[in-house]
Amino acid sequence: KRPLITWIMDDWPAALATENPSEFLRLDADLRSLFEISEARLSICEAMSAAYEERYGFAFEPFANGVNPEEWSKPTVREALPIRVRYAGALAPNMSYASVRDVAEAVDGLSREGLNISFEIKTISMWRDTAAGLTEGLNSASYIAESFARSEYRQWISDADIVVLAYNFDPGSIAYIRYSMAN
């Protein structure tokens, strides 16, 4: 008997409808009932709010991932090498894995051509273990799995020369993340 607020960030219902139609039919009714009793329905962006309102018949408010710019230092400007390319996030096959692998291969190719460049991938151990082959054979790519305090994480991102926001472009990934927004 408390207010319910639902917040959805990826279009897993559309992906599930394609990947597992029977499971989708079972969960779709539950999801619709949650939306119906929700005091508020949040999505990650305006495009998702519009699509979900049309799909489900309820108003959704966009509410993106919370980032307070005042907590972030200005990006570090440096002349020193190596060039630091950094990615932080999931390595799911239906979200970012293929694109992160493409970046890792490109960075490794530049490194083999003599450019002093490295690619650091910050992810949780579950994704590192799931995507263990991502850096296989690539000398300039590495994982960082240790936990950072929030301030250390923000500094790590700010100290990058290039920050990667990765999205896959295959049809399955697009169905899942087409309304997603990177943190």
Side-chain angles (χ1 to χ4, degrees), residues 151-169:
S151 61
E152 293 171 323
Y153 172 76
R154 289 190 297 265
Q155 192 61 55
W156 181 79
I157 291 288
S158 295
D159 288 344
D161 297 302
I162 299 169
V163 174
V164 175
L165 299 177
Y167 290 103
N168 293 344
F169 296 99

Side-chain angles (χ1 to χ4, degrees), residues 44-153:
I44 199 71
C45 65
E46 290 181 20
M48 179 181 261
S49 288
Y52 274 32
E53 184 169 352
E54 183 175 321
R55 185 185 304 172
Y56 296 108
F58 300 105
F60 284 77
E61 292 294 321
F63 186 75
N65 301 321
V67 174
N68 182 353
E70 293 172 7
E71 293 177 345
W72 289 75
S73 61
K74 293 193 187 264
T76 305
V77 178
R78 30 178 233 115
E79 305 280 331
L81 293 175
I83 296 169
R84 296 182 293 207
V85 180
R86 292 182 171 164
Y87 170 76
L91 296 171
N94 63 346
M95 293 175 69
S96 58
Y97 177 91
S99 290
V100 172
R101 175 69 187 186
D102 288 347
V103 171
E105 289 174 351
V107 168
D108 199 63
L110 292 169
S111 176
R112 290 174 196 266
E113 290 176 8
L115 185 61
N116 192 353
I117 188 168
S118 66
F119 184 35
E120 298 173 1
I121 302 165
K122 169 78 176 103
T123 193
I124 60 175
S125 57
M126 178 191 83
W127 290 122
R128 186 193 65 229
D129 296 345
T130 300
L134 187 138
T135 60
E136 192 172 305
L138 305 176
N139 295 326
S140 59
S142 62
Y143 286 112
I144 297 175
E146 77 247 24
S147 293
F148 292 153
R150 287 181 183 190
S151 61
E152 293 171 323
Y153 172 76

